[in-house]
Amino acid sequence: MSANVLSSVREALPRLSSSEARVAEAIIAEPTLVVDLTITELAAVCGTSLSTVARFCQTLGYSGYREFRMEVASAVSREAAERDRFGLANADIDPDDSAADVIAKIAFHEVLAIEQTAEGLDTTVLDAVVDAIVAGAHVDLYGFGSSGLTAQDLQQKLARIGISAFCSVDVHLALVSAALRRPGDVAIGISHSGLTAETNHALEVAREAGATTVAITNSPESPVAEAADFVLTTHARESSYRMGAMSSRIAQLAVVDFLFVRVAQRRGDAVAEPLQRTFEVTARHRVPQRRKQA
C-alpha cells in the first residue's frame, strides 16, 4: 500500500471493477467526500452499493470504511496544511490567477510530488536497482516525450562517473540497443503513465535479451511496470494546465537523484577520478568571466 492513501486510490484505478472505479474517481475529484459522508451517503453519491464501497476499501488494503476514512481525513488535513504553507485557498490553477498565484500553485504541486515520492519510495527496491547498476556492465535508458528528458539526465549522470550508459529518443536506436543487452546489463524504462508503447516495447526486448529491467512510473499496475523486474514509483498528481506533465518530471528527477547518489556512494572513491576528468574536459567550453574594473 502506498504511503499516501490518495496516491493509493489513483494507483488502484487500473485494477478496479467499474463500480469500484466510480468510487475511486469520486474520491480523486473530491477527497473531502470521504471525510464528510457516511458509507451509505458515499455509496449513494457514487451510484453504487455499500458492499462495493466496503470492497473498494479492502482492495486498497484497509479493514473497512472506518479505517479508510481516518486515513483520508489525515491526508486531507496534511494537504490543507501544505496549502496554508504556500498561502493557497485551493491548488488548482484558474484562468484569472495572477503570476504570483501561478508560481505558488506550481511550487505547491512540485514540492508535494517530491515529498510524496520520497515518502512512498521502497528503499529496498531502490537499493536492489543500485546493486544491479553497480554490478552490471551497461545501463540502457528508455524514455520518450517529457520522460525522455529524465532518461537523458540519468544517462549523463551515470556517464560522468564512468558507468557505460546509453539513451536515445529515437525508438529504433533504443530497440536496437535493447536487443543487444545481455545478462548482467540493466535496462531502465521511464514513463509517467506506464502506458508509453515505445518504452514498454524496449523494456520487453531488453528483458528477453536477459537484462535486469527497471520501471520508473507513476502507475505501478501499468504495462511498463509489468515489463520490469523492479518498479520505482513516483507520486505526481494530474491537474489542469498539464500540471501532471510538469510535476511528473520533477518526481522522476527526484528518483533519478536518489538512484544516482546511492550508486555514487556504493562506488566510493572510484567516482572521484571520472568526475574530475569530465569536469576538466568540459571546463574548456565555458566562457571566461570578465573581471570587473575597479
Side-chain angles (χ1 to χ4, degrees):
M1 184 166 50
S2 171
N4 182 283
V5 61
L6 299 178
S7 295
S8 293
V9 174
R10 295 184 191 92
E11 291 166 7
L13 264 174
R15 67 177 190 270
L16 297 176
S17 66
S18 58
S19 56
E20 290 174 339
R22 288 203 302 274
V23 178
E25 288 163 357
I27 293 169
I28 291 168
E30 186 51 71
T32 55
L33 285 175
V34 178
V35 181
D36 297 336
L37 304 179
T38 65
I39 186 171
T40 304
E41 292 168 335
L42 181 62
V45 166
C46 298
T48 189
S49 64
L50 273 68
S51 60
T52 296
V53 176
R55 189 167 60 250
F56 163 79
C57 296
Q58 290 164 2
T59 298
L60 266 64
Y62 297 95
S63 59
Y65 185 68
R66 181 175 179 176
E67 183 186 7
F68 176 70
R69 190 182 194 185
M70 290 173 63
E71 283 293 315
V72 172
S74 178
V76 168
S77 177
R78 288 196 303 271
E79 188 164 320
E82 284 294 304
R83 286 200 306 272
D84 287 345
R85 183 156 67 98
F86 283 85
L88 301 174
N90 70 80
D92 290 330
I93 294 177
D94 298 317
D96 57 350
D97 278 343
S98 67
D101 291 335
V102 170
I103 290 169
K105 289 180 179 182
I106 290 175
F108 165 76
H109 278 283
E110 296 192 348
V111 168
L112 192 66
I114 292 172
E115 289 179 345
Q116 292 188 349
T117 295
E119 181 185 3
L121 200 63
D122 189 325
T123 56
T124 300
V125 174
L126 178 72
D127 278 347
V129 175
V130 170
D131 290 341
I133 292 173
V134 171
H138 176 86
V139 178
D140 252 12
L141 294 139
Y142 317 126
F144 302 92
S146 62
S147 294
L149 301 174
T150 306
Q152 291 175 62
D153 183 67
L154 182 52
Q155 187 272 334
Q156 176 183 293
K157 284 179 165 67
L158 294 175
R160 286 288 305 272
I161 60 173
I163 292 177
S164 173
F166 173 81
C167 175
S168 176
V169 295
D170 184 311
V171 67
H172 288 186
L173 291 179
L175 288 171
V176 166
S177 186
L180 296 176
R181 292 309 97 227
R182 53 184 67 176
D185 291 341
V186 178
I188 302 176
I190 304 170
S191 171
H192 172 70
S193 67
L195 300 174
T196 306
E198 294 84 354
T199 305
N200 185 62
H201 189 188
L203 267 189
E204 288 178 338
V205 170
R207 179 186 247 180
E208 289 172 5
T212 298
T213 53
V214 180
I216 298 176
T217 180
N218 210 69
S219 303
E221 304 289 333
S222 64
V224 167
E226 290 175 5
D229 299 310
F230 299 104
V231 179
L232 297 171
T233 306
T234 58
H235 296 283
R237 185 177 307 177
E238 292 287 356
S239 185
S240 56
Y241 294 93
R242 288 184 58 77
M243 285 298 300
M246 290 184 278
S247 59
S248 69
R249 187 174 65 251
I250 294 297
Q252 290 171 353
L253 289 171
V255 172
V256 161
D257 286 346
F258 303 151
L259 192 58
F260 171 73
V261 171
R262 290 296 285 159
V263 169
Q265 282 182 314
R266 200 70 57 83
R267 286 174 64 88
D269 294 339
V271 304
E273 182 186 357
L275 275 176
Q276 183 61 31
R277 288 170 61 187
T278 54
F279 172 80
E280 289 173 355
V281 75
T282 55
R284 302 171 192 169
H285 293 268
R286 294 177 181 171
V287 178
Q289 288 184 310
R290 294 180 180 178
R291 295 189 177 183
K292 293 181 180 179
Q293 294 183 348

